[in-house]
């Protein structure tokens, strides 16, 4: 059998991608494809885990038992998503310890959105509606991506995100039917979360170093700006439906393109947040580092149990 050169293998790999074939963990893949996926998937998993913090902040203060139970379930879902995607990342040959190490030392990023504080109950509505709404737009596209374990994880995760999206919208719709103070609280929350939600889609296309490669390999099916536009087009009618507005004086419907055109995103703020200088970056990292340290005994106990079980099986 002829041994293929690296170049020939890469050509064959690209042919598979172009035909729409799904790549599985044991298939040959370029080192760069593997590295890009590890970067993107691990950052996604970290985002799910850090995303529990701003919402977890409101579990004890939810306005009713029903709201508390729903929020608890949602935060728990996010933990599941994180663990699921960490497992997916391990199929690329990197250990959980390495992935966690890169996160806790600040080498790996997590989504900018979770560096904003949740100041009122309405923020739980805004996170469900806007943040999970943005995540759905992004992740339904990723569900059609080329790497099997990641794409399959997205299918399941998006189902749960849909429920999160609806519960967020329902919180805001309820507030908008309430008192003047409740309506103002809902609007204030959208004023604070609108632009950060648009930033979730990443830098604009002419400033996104990873997009070209990820699109060539069909990990990403659409560009950052395309998905951001899709999110805006979908979300504005929902806002109007319950009487909310978004804080963008340049936003308008363009009859010709049949899309909303929008104002300029504050990229200075975005770059500050993704480089550790957002409102809550320090607090979020401290919470995760403390949780990791406090959980050391669980990892040690699990390892001791696994070792004991392995030695018993060997002896039998
Ligand atoms: N927050 C933090 N970092 C971001 C970012 C954001 N919103 N957008 C981009 N970046 C980072 C990138 O990670 C990259 O940094 P790196 O090279 O050091 O790793 C750099 O900015 C340049 O951006 P690119 O556009 O070149 O990066 P990508 O092509 O990877 O696109 C992305 C960025 C759109 C976030 C893409 O990685 C992606 O789709 N990731 C998977 C989805 C994901 O991570 N979602 C997190 C959302 S939160 C969530 O899902 C939780 C839910 O419960 C709400």
């Amino acid at each position: 059998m002829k041994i293929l050169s690296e170049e020939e293998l890469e050509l064959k790999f690209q042919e598979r991608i172009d035909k729409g074939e799904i790549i599985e963990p044991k298939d040959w893949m370029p080192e760069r494809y593997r590295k890009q996926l590890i970067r993107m998937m691990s950052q996604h998993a970290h985002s799910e885990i850090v995303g529990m913090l701003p919402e977890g902040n409101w579990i004890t203060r939810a306005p009713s038992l029903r709201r508390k139970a729903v929020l608890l379930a949602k935060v728990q879902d996010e933990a599941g998503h994180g663990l699921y995607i960490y497992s997916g990342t391990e199929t690329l040959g990197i250990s959980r310890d390495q992935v966690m190490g890169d996160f806790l030392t600040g080498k790996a990023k997590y989504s900018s959105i979770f560096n904003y504080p949740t100041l009122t109950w309405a923020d739980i509505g805004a996170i469900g509606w806007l943040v999970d709404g943005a995540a759905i737009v992004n992740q339904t596209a990723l569900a059609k991506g080329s790497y099997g374990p990641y794409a399959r994880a997205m299918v399941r995760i998006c189902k749960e995100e849909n429920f999160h999206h609806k519960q967020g919208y329902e919180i805001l719709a309820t507030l908008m039917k309430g008192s003047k103070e409740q309506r103002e609280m809902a609007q204030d929350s959208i004023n604070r979360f609108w632009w950060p939600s648009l930033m979730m889609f990443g830098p604009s296309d002419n400033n996104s170093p990873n997009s070209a490669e990820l699109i060539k390999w069909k990990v990403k099916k659409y560009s950052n700006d395309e998905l951001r536009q899709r999110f805006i087009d979908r979300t504005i009618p929902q806002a109007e439906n319950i009487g909310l507005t978004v804080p963008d004086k340049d936003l308008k419907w363009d009859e010709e393109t049949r899309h909303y055109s929008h104002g300029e995103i504050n990229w200075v703020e975005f770059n500050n947040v993704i480089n550790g200088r957002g409102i809550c970056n320090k607090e979020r990292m401290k919470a995760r580092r403390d949780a990791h340290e406090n959980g050391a005994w669980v990892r040690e106990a699990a390892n001791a149990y696994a070792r004991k079980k392995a030695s018993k099986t060997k002896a039998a």
Side-chain angles (χ1 to χ4, degrees), residues 32 36 39-52 55 74 77-79 81 85 107-115 127-128 130-136 138-139 142 150 154 157 161 164 196-205 207-215 219-220 222-224 227-228 267 270-271 273-275:
R32 184 79 195 142
Q36 274 285 25
R39 180 191 67 83
M40 189 169 153
M41 290 170 69
S42 63
Q43 294 188 5
H44 188 169
H46 304 324
S47 305
E48 300 279 356
I49 298 297
V50 178
M52 296 162 73
E55 291 182 293
K74 179 187 190 290
D77 284 351
E78 307 299 0
H81 298 173
I85 305 171
K107 188 175 161 211
K109 295 187 169 74
Y110 60 89
S111 184
S112 50
I113 190 71
F114 301 119
N115 292 304
I127 290 184
L130 295 178
V131 176
D132 289 81
I136 290 168
N138 176 256
Q139 291 168 22
L142 295 176
Y150 193 30
M154 290 302 103
I157 288 173
E161 300 290 18
H164 300 166
S197 300
L198 299 190
M199 292 176 197
M200 283 176 71
F201 294 92
S204 53
D205 293 350
N207 225 352
S208 162
N210 299 296
S211 277
E213 211 167 37
L214 291 171
I215 288 175
V219 174
K220 273 165 103 163
Y222 304 96
S223 75
N224 297 355
L227 291 176
R228 188 167 13 246
W267 295 117
F270 171 76
N271 283 316
V273 177
I274 70 169
N275 288 303

Side-chain angles (χ1 to χ4, degrees), residues 26-143:
K26 288 189 176 155
D27 295 347
W28 187 89
M29 61 184 79
E31 191 51 19
R32 184 79 195 142
Y33 177 86
R34 197 177 72 83
K35 287 226 161 84
Q36 274 285 25
L37 275 168
I38 290 175
R39 180 191 67 83
M40 189 169 153
M41 290 170 69
S42 63
Q43 294 188 5
H44 188 169
H46 304 324
S47 305
E48 300 279 356
I49 298 297
V50 178
M52 296 162 73
L53 296 169
E55 291 182 293
N57 188 31
W58 277 88
I59 291 173
T60 53
R61 291 178 285 162
S64 70
L65 190 57
R66 173 178 166 257
R67 295 287 186 202
K68 193 194 288 278
V70 172
L71 184 57
L72 258 175
K74 179 187 190 290
V75 173
Q76 202 171 323
D77 284 351
E78 307 299 0
H81 298 173
L83 296 179
Y84 200 20
I85 305 171
Y86 279 133
S87 298
T89 314
E90 284 171 311
T91 65
L92 291 154
I94 188 162
S95 70
R96 183 81 59 107
D97 280 351
Q98 169 86 50
V99 166
M100 288 312 291
D102 286 349
F103 173 44
L104 297 171
T105 55
K107 188 175 161 211
K109 295 187 169 74
Y110 60 89
S111 184
S112 50
I113 190 71
F114 301 119
N115 292 304
Y116 293 85
T118 41
L119 304 177
T120 67
W121 172 250
D123 291 356
I124 300 305
I127 290 184
W129 175 48
L130 295 178
V131 176
D132 289 81
I136 290 168
V137 169
N138 176 256
Q139 291 168 22
T140 41
L142 295 176

Side-chain angles (χ1 to χ4, degrees), residues 124-299:
I124 300 305
I127 290 184
W129 175 48
L130 295 178
V131 176
D132 289 81
I136 290 168
V137 169
N138 176 256
Q139 291 168 22
T140 41
L142 295 176
K144 297 184 195 107
S146 60
Y147 188 58
Y150 193 30
R152 286 189 290 272
M154 290 302 103
V155 174
R156 172 168 165 185
I157 288 173
C158 281
K159 286 190 179 149
E160 291 180 353
E161 300 290 18
N162 264 309
F163 155 74
H164 300 166
H165 182 238
K166 285 185 187 130
Q167 68 85 38
Y169 192 59
E170 196 249 347
I171 289 176
L172 291 171
T174 306
L175 289 173
M176 290 307 283
K177 281 191 236 140
S179 65
K180 181 171 170 286
E181 285 78 8
Q182 284 171 316
R183 288 196 299 277
E184 282 172 2
M185 184 167 76
Q187 184 59 57
D188 168 66
S189 180
I190 301 313
N191 294 347
R192 286 181 287 108
F193 274 95
W194 176 250
W195 291 107
S197 300
L198 299 190
M199 292 176 197
M200 283 176 71
F201 294 92
S204 53
D205 293 350
N206 54 8
N207 225 352
S208 162
N210 299 296
S211 277
E213 211 167 37
L214 291 171
I215 288 175
K216 177 181 87 171
W217 284 324
K218 295 192 180 165
V219 174
K220 273 165 103 163
K221 302 283 271 201
Y222 304 96
S223 75
N224 297 355
D225 285 335
E226 282 170 329
L227 291 176
R228 188 167 13 246
Q229 184 67 54
R230 191 177 289 186
F231 171 71
I232 295 171
D233 290 347
R234 225 177 243 201
T235 307
I236 297 300
Q238 293 168 5
E240 286 169 354
N241 194 33
I242 54 173
L244 285 166
T245 55
V246 300
D248 180 357
K249 60 179 174 26
D250 296 319
L251 185 105
K252 57 175 185 299
W253 174 251
D254 184 333
E255 199 50 53
E256 222 168 88
T257 60
R258 310 225 28 97
H259 291 296
Y260 284 94
S261 56
H262 60 89
E264 186 61 25
I265 290 171
N266 184 344
W267 295 117
V268 174
E269 176 179 323
F270 171 76
N271 283 316
N272 275 332
V273 177
I274 70 169
N275 288 303
R277 297 185 296 274
I279 308 172
C280 298
N281 294 60
K282 287 205 174 80
E283 187 184 325
R284 301 291 185 239
M285 286 309 293
K286 182 179 180 323
R288 288 310 311 150
R289 287 188 186 119
D290 287 352
H292 192 74
E293 271 173 35
N294 293 336
W297 69 272
V298 180
R299 292 189 295 280

